[in-house]
Amino acid sequence: MSTVAPPPASHPDESPAASGVHPFPDLSAEVTGTVPDPRSAPPIRWGILGAGGIASSFAEAVRLHTQGRVASVGSRDRVRAERFATAHGVPTTHHGYDELVEDPQVDVVYVATPHSHHHEHALLAIRAGKHVLVEKAFTRNEAEAVEVLDAAREAGVFVMEAMWTRFLPHVAALRGVIARGEIGDVVNLSADHGQWFPFDPEHRLYAPELAGGALLDLGVYPVSFAHDLLGAPSTVTAVGALTETGVDGQASIVLGYGDTQATLSTTLWSRTANTAVISGTAGRIEVEGTFYAPTSFRVVRHDGASWYYDGFSGEGKQYQAAEVARRVAAGETQSPRMSWDSTLEVMRTLDEVRRQVGVVYPGE
């Protein structure tokens, strides 16, 4: 067996090239062409709506790896907003969200509140004429997503779901592997996302009124990953178990695409391997944990050859931030890598999983 191991990238935004004796193609040109350096994107001014953990990691990615800057942050908790601003060098804070979306310093609003409020806060920003990046899952359900996208279409503003995985170098590289036929025709995709959260009825993930549960917070990653590589499924089959508060504690999902299947799982009750495998008629791609964040993968072919894509670990949200900046600068309203249709199709799948598992949020 011949093994190819590309040298480690010297920089998180650089793509490693394959080296060695086996004649697999050099991935560097493809990956660089598909996922350009985030620092090459035009500068853009961000307003962050919500000051939680994911907002913090996004702000750091923008500050350290792009030409953009976080111009302001808004929170219903004034102290929390001020602490966030101090931690990330944000010059302006707003108490509440109305002031944030009206801030003339802001080009794009990043909505980083709980799922239950994505619909409300995205509409608030759109009505203020702002472009919007909305955390995933995009909304609680497809109906809310349709309302947001219809409003964006009418206002002529850019809107995108913040599924950052789609813009990462290793995803571009593995898509290239599949497109070149190196593993043949895909017959199965498996992926899991599980984290351990001790039961706390006050925690947002256990709170029905905040659209909690494993699926919208964690399961959206494997579902969107399958959608990215295989498209919208023709069938959805799901089983799950509910928490004491009535949200999904875990779910197992099979998506059907004719003879091809995706087998996915998510849970709040254990930190799982968080890996993915794409299997084809000529080989497989083994994506290391955490599959949805910057990582590496191995290609193992049925002819006995294998090679390794040596990615990087660390923050990766700069790639989606750069995508937003490029599309806004070009006057576009959506990204082809995370299009409005893609968001609606993913939301439709999540709705069906919740229906089968038996989760209904208050007000739906």
Side-chain angles (χ1 to χ4, degrees):
M1 177 185 297
S2 298
T3 300
V4 177
S10 59
H11 181 286
D13 298 330
E14 293 174 359
S15 303
S19 63
V21 296
H22 196 86
F24 282 113
D26 184 339
L27 289 176
S28 58
E30 175 186 343
V31 175
T32 301
T34 306
V35 184
D37 187 335
R39 293 177 180 84
S40 68
I44 199 167
R45 301 172 300 176
W46 292 91
I48 300 204
L49 195 157
I54 199 162
S56 181
S57 64
F58 180 81
E60 281 301 280
V62 168
R63 184 176 69 85
L64 295 175
H65 302 294
T66 77
Q67 293 191 71
R69 66 185 181 90
V70 179
S72 65
V73 59
S75 174
R76 289 174 176 167
D77 184 328
R78 185 187 301 276
V79 173
R80 194 173 192 184
E82 291 172 350
R83 286 175 178 167
F84 188 99
T86 299
H88 301 290
V90 180
T92 305
T93 61
H94 296 288
H95 183 209
Y97 304 136
D98 291 334
E99 290 182 6
L100 174 74
V101 300
E102 297 291 346
D103 190 336
Q105 301 177 89
V106 171
D107 301 312
V108 185
V109 172
Y110 169 55
V111 174
T113 46
H115 308 113
S116 53
H117 291 74
H118 288 180
H119 170 260
E120 172 191 351
H121 295 153
L123 288 176
L124 186 71
I126 290 168
R127 288 165 184 156
K130 295 295 194 292
H131 306 291
V132 190
L133 177 66
V134 185
E135 256 312 317
K136 75 285 161 239
F138 189 69
T139 50
R140 295 188 304 175
N141 52 51
E142 183 189 6
E144 289 183 347
V146 168
E147 289 185 21
V148 171
L149 297 177
D150 282 349
R153 184 180 294 108
E154 183 176 349
V157 297
F158 178 91
V159 171
M160 190 179 84
E161 182 179 3
M163 180 45 73
W164 56 298
T165 304
R166 296 203 178 197
F167 304 96
L168 297 176
H170 79 280
V171 173
L174 67 83
R175 283 171 59 87
V177 170
I178 295 169
R180 290 192 298 272
E182 293 185 37
I183 63 168
D185 297 326
V186 174
V187 297
N188 184 268
L189 181 153
S190 61
D192 69 281
H193 187 188
Q195 305 290 343
W196 179 68
F197 292 92
F199 179 69
D200 177 359
E202 302 301 318
H203 192 285
R204 68 176 182 85
L205 288 180
Y206 286 99
E209 66 275 14
L210 297 179
L215 185 65
L216 294 195
D217 201 78
L218 309 178
V220 65
Y221 281 104
V223 169
S224 190
F225 187 66
H227 180 276
D228 187 19
L229 299 181
L230 302 175
S234 56
T235 61
V236 178
T237 306
V239 295
L242 305 186
T243 70
E244 293 94 323
T245 54
V247 300
D248 52 297
Q250 65 179 7
S252 297
I253 306 160
V254 178
L255 305 182
Y257 304 85
D259 292 336
T260 300
Q261 295 180 345
T263 54
L264 317 172
S265 65
T266 185
T267 181
L268 297 178
W269 298 330
S270 178
R271 177 168 174 77
T272 61
N274 294 309
T275 57
V277 179
I278 304 107
S279 300
T281 54
R284 67 183 183 273
I285 304 171
E286 301 171 347
V287 188
E288 297 180 355
T290 303
F291 80 89
Y292 57 83
T295 192
S296 303
F297 64 80
R298 182 176 297 279
V299 177
V300 182
R301 290 169 50 109
H302 293 170
D303 62 11
S306 69
W307 59 270
Y308 189 72
Y309 175 89
D310 193 0
F312 70 95
S313 61
E315 188 51 70
K317 296 183 183 69
Q318 61 268 25
Y319 291 94
Q320 71 173 355
E323 174 73 0
V324 174
R326 292 189 185 95
R327 299 297 170 183
V328 168
E332 300 174 32
T333 57
Q334 57 183 303
S335 164
R337 283 292 292 128
M338 193 67 233
S339 68
W340 293 359
D341 282 345
S342 293
T343 287
L344 292 176
E345 288 165 0
V346 169
M347 290 307 312
R348 196 171 303 138
T349 299
L350 297 176
D351 282 358
E352 179 58 21
V353 172
R354 281 203 297 123
R355 187 191 69 79
Q356 293 184 32
V357 172
V359 176
V360 179
Y361 298 126
E364 284 192 308

